Amino acid sequence: MAGYYLIAPELELSHGYCDFFLLPDLGRYPMVAHSYILELKYLKQDATPEEAGTQWQEAEAQIRRYAQDAKLRLLCGPTQLHLVVAQFRGYQMEKIAEVNGV
């Protein structure tokens, strides 16, 4: 997979920094049809379900804001952009989901 994508950590988008942007290398692999923004969130071990829910909602809003960035749209080219949020509690994954885009 790494050959098909250029991985850009902490790419500045809409006055924030996405954790990872997987930019398809369309010059070498024009058949790649998807690009991805990955947003990672970490909970304290003793976080309540309410804190986890609030953090998740904030992450969804954040990643949707990133998806609106004009520079990102140019980088994605004709590919379909996927927004993925992963939430961890300690070393365990709490939740992962693709977020509906804009």
Side-chain angles (χ1 to χ4, degrees), residues 26-54:
L26 296 174
R28 290 180 24 195
Y29 303 103
M31 73 295 232
V32 176
H34 304 274
S35 54
Y36 301 86
I37 298 176
L38 304 174
E39 189 62 31
L40 308 177
K41 294 297 180 185
Y42 300 92
L43 293 166
K44 293 181 182 177
Q45 200 64 32
D46 60 349
T48 66
E50 292 79 19
E51 291 170 325
T54 298

Side-chain angles (χ1 to χ4, degrees), residues 44-84:
K44 293 181 182 177
Q45 200 64 32
D46 60 349
T48 66
E50 292 79 19
E51 291 170 325
T54 298
Q55 183 189 63
W56 186 266
Q57 289 175 346
E58 291 170 355
E60 285 182 336
Q62 183 179 13
I63 203 167
R64 284 186 183 113
R65 205 171 42 250
Y66 294 157
Q68 301 256 341
D69 190 271
K71 174 176 62 176
L72 177 82
R73 292 297 178 174
L74 288 174
L75 291 171
C76 288
T79 65
Q80 179 182 352
L81 178 63
H82 298 273
L83 312 177
V84 179

